[in-house]
PDB file of all heavy atoms in Angstrom:
ATOM      1  N   LYS A 207     -17.530  26.208  27.566  1.00 94.00           N
ATOM      2  CA  LYS A 207     -16.658  27.166  26.908  1.00 94.00           C
ATOM      3  C   LYS A 207     -15.326  26.497  26.591  1.00 94.00           C
ATOM      4  O   LYS A 207     -14.802  25.748  27.406  1.00 94.00           O
ATOM      5  CB  LYS A 207     -16.404  28.381  27.809  1.00 94.00           C
ATOM      6  CG  LYS A 207     -17.628  29.243  28.061  1.00 94.00           C
ATOM      7  CD  LYS A 207     -17.257  30.457  28.917  1.00 94.00           C
ATOM      8  CE  LYS A 207     -18.461  31.341  29.156  1.00 94.00           C
ATOM      9  NZ  LYS A 207     -18.100  32.533  29.989  1.00 94.00           N
ATOM     10  N   PRO A 208     -14.783  26.776  25.411  1.00 95.00           N
ATOM     11  CA  PRO A 208     -13.451  26.242  25.106  1.00 95.00           C
ATOM     12  C   PRO A 208     -12.382  27.056  25.818  1.00 95.00           C
ATOM     13  O   PRO A 208     -12.574  28.251  26.074  1.00 95.00           O
ATOM     14  CB  PRO A 208     -13.351  26.405  23.587  1.00 95.00           C
ATOM     15  CG  PRO A 208     -14.232  27.573  23.278  1.00 95.00           C
ATOM     16  CD  PRO A 208     -15.368  27.499  24.263  1.00 95.00           C
ATOM     17  N   PRO A 209     -11.262  26.447  26.182  1.00 93.00           N
ATOM     18  CA  PRO A 209     -10.153  27.210  26.758  1.00 93.00           C
ATOM     19  C   PRO A 209      -9.702  28.297  25.797  1.00 93.00           C
ATOM     20  O   PRO A 209      -9.993  28.250  24.593  1.00 93.00           O
ATOM     21  CB  PRO A 209      -9.063  26.151  26.946  1.00 93.00           C
ATOM     22  CG  PRO A 209      -9.812  24.859  27.032  1.00 93.00           C
ATOM     23  CD  PRO A 209     -10.982  25.013  26.108  1.00 93.00           C
ATOM     24  N   ALA A 210      -8.985  29.271  26.305  1.00 91.00           N
ATOM     25  CA  ALA A 210      -8.555  30.404  25.483  1.00 91.00           C
ATOM     26  C   ALA A 210      -7.768  29.965  24.264  1.00 91.00           C
ATOM     27  O   ALA A 210      -7.869  30.561  23.199  1.00 91.00           O
ATOM     28  CB  ALA A 210      -7.727  31.367  26.326  1.00 91.00           C
ATOM     29  N   ASP A 211      -6.944  28.928  24.394  1.00 93.00           N
ATOM     30  CA  ASP A 211      -6.155  28.425  23.268  1.00 93.00           C
ATOM     31  C   ASP A 211      -6.308  26.915  23.203  1.00 93.00           C
ATOM     32  O   ASP A 211      -5.378  26.168  23.480  1.00 93.00           O
ATOM     33  CB  ASP A 211      -4.684  28.813  23.431  1.00 93.00           C
ATOM     34  CG  ASP A 211      -3.843  28.413  22.228  1.00 93.00           C
ATOM     35  OD1 ASP A 211      -4.424  28.074  21.175  1.00 93.00           O
ATOM     36  OD2 ASP A 211      -2.601  28.415  22.347  1.00 93.00           O
ATOM     37  N   LEU A 212      -7.493  26.471  22.810  1.00 96.00           N
ATOM     38  CA  LEU A 212      -7.761  25.035  22.752  1.00 96.00           C
ATOM     39  C   LEU A 212      -6.841  24.349  21.754  1.00 96.00           C
ATOM     40  O   LEU A 212      -6.325  23.265  22.017  1.00 96.00           O
ATOM     41  CB  LEU A 212      -9.222  24.789  22.378  1.00 96.00           C
ATOM     42  CG  LEU A 212      -9.653  23.325  22.289  1.00 96.00           C
ATOM     43  CD1 LEU A 212      -9.461  22.622  23.635  1.00 96.00           C
ATOM     44  CD2 LEU A 212     -11.115  23.233  21.843  1.00 96.00           C
ATOM     45  N   GLY A 213      -6.635  24.984  20.596  1.00 95.00           N
ATOM     46  CA  GLY A 213      -5.762  24.395  19.595  1.00 95.00           C
ATOM     47  C   GLY A 213      -4.353  24.201  20.121  1.00 95.00           C
ATOM     48  O   GLY A 213      -3.721  23.166  19.890  1.00 95.00           O
ATOM     49  N   GLY A 214      -3.861  25.197  20.841  1.00 95.00           N
ATOM     50  CA  GLY A 214      -2.530  25.093  21.429  1.00 95.00           C
ATOM     51  C   GLY A 214      -2.462  24.013  22.487  1.00 95.00           C
ATOM     52  O   GLY A 214      -1.452  23.307  22.612  1.00 95.00           O
ATOM     53  N   MET A 215      -3.540  23.864  23.265  1.00 96.00           N
ATOM     54  CA  MET A 215      -3.591  22.826  24.285  1.00 96.00           C
ATOM     55  C   MET A 215      -3.499  21.439  23.642  1.00 96.00           C
ATOM     56  O   MET A 215      -2.742  20.569  24.093  1.00 96.00           O
ATOM     57  CB  MET A 215      -4.888  22.930  25.086  1.00 96.00           C
ATOM     58  CG  MET A 215      -5.090  21.787  26.085  1.00 96.00           C
ATOM     59  SD  MET A 215      -6.763  21.728  26.787  1.00 96.00           S
ATOM     60  CE  MET A 215      -6.764  23.240  27.731  1.00 96.00           C
ATOM     61  N   VAL A 216      -4.279  21.233  22.582  1.00 97.00           N
ATOM     62  CA  VAL A 216      -4.267  19.937  21.902  1.00 97.00           C
ATOM     63  C   VAL A 216      -2.897  19.672  21.290  1.00 97.00           C
ATOM     64  O   VAL A 216      -2.361  18.558  21.382  1.00 97.00           O
ATOM     65  CB  VAL A 216      -5.360  19.881  20.817  1.00 97.00           C
ATOM     66  CG1 VAL A 216      -5.239  18.598  20.008  1.00 97.00           C
ATOM     67  CG2 VAL A 216      -6.743  19.972  21.451  1.00 97.00           C
ATOM     68  N   ASP A 217      -2.311  20.696  20.685  1.00 96.00           N
ATOM     69  CA  ASP A 217      -0.982  20.539  20.099  1.00 96.00           C
ATOM     70  C   ASP A 217       0.016  20.095  21.177  1.00 96.00           C
ATOM     71  O   ASP A 217       0.822  19.187  20.960  1.00 96.00           O
ATOM     72  CB  ASP A 217      -0.528  21.850  19.465  1.00 96.00           C
ATOM     73  CG  ASP A 217       0.784  21.728  18.719  1.00 96.00           C
ATOM     74  OD1 ASP A 217       1.847  21.657  19.376  1.00 96.00           O
ATOM     75  OD2 ASP A 217       0.765  21.698  17.475  1.00 96.00           O
ATOM     76  N   ASP A 218      -0.053  20.724  22.322  1.00 97.00           N
ATOM     77  CA  ASP A 218       0.861  20.388  23.411  1.00 97.00           C
ATOM     78  C   ASP A 218       0.649  18.957  23.884  1.00 97.00           C
ATOM     79  O   ASP A 218       1.620  18.224  24.138  1.00 97.00           O
ATOM     80  CB  ASP A 218       0.671  21.364  24.571  1.00 97.00           C
ATOM     81  CG  ASP A 218       1.646  21.127  25.709  1.00 97.00           C
ATOM     82  OD1 ASP A 218       2.862  21.284  25.489  1.00 97.00           O
ATOM     83  OD2 ASP A 218       1.199  20.791  26.815  1.00 97.00           O
ATOM     84  N   LEU A 219      -0.601  18.536  24.000  1.00 97.00           N
ATOM     85  CA  LEU A 219      -0.890  17.172  24.435  1.00 97.00           C
ATOM     86  C   LEU A 219      -0.369  16.152  23.431  1.00 97.00           C
ATOM     87  O   LEU A 219       0.219  15.124  23.804  1.00 97.00           O
ATOM     88  CB  LEU A 219      -2.399  16.992  24.633  1.00 97.00           C
ATOM     89  CG  LEU A 219      -3.024  17.726  25.814  1.00 97.00           C
ATOM     90  CD1 LEU A 219      -4.545  17.616  25.759  1.00 97.00           C
ATOM     91  CD2 LEU A 219      -2.506  17.165  27.134  1.00 97.00           C
TER      92      LEU A 219
END
Side-chain angles (χ1 to χ4, degrees):
K207 293 182 179 180
D211 185 13
L212 180 60
M215 174 192 293
V216 173
D217 186 285
D218 183 64
L219 290 172

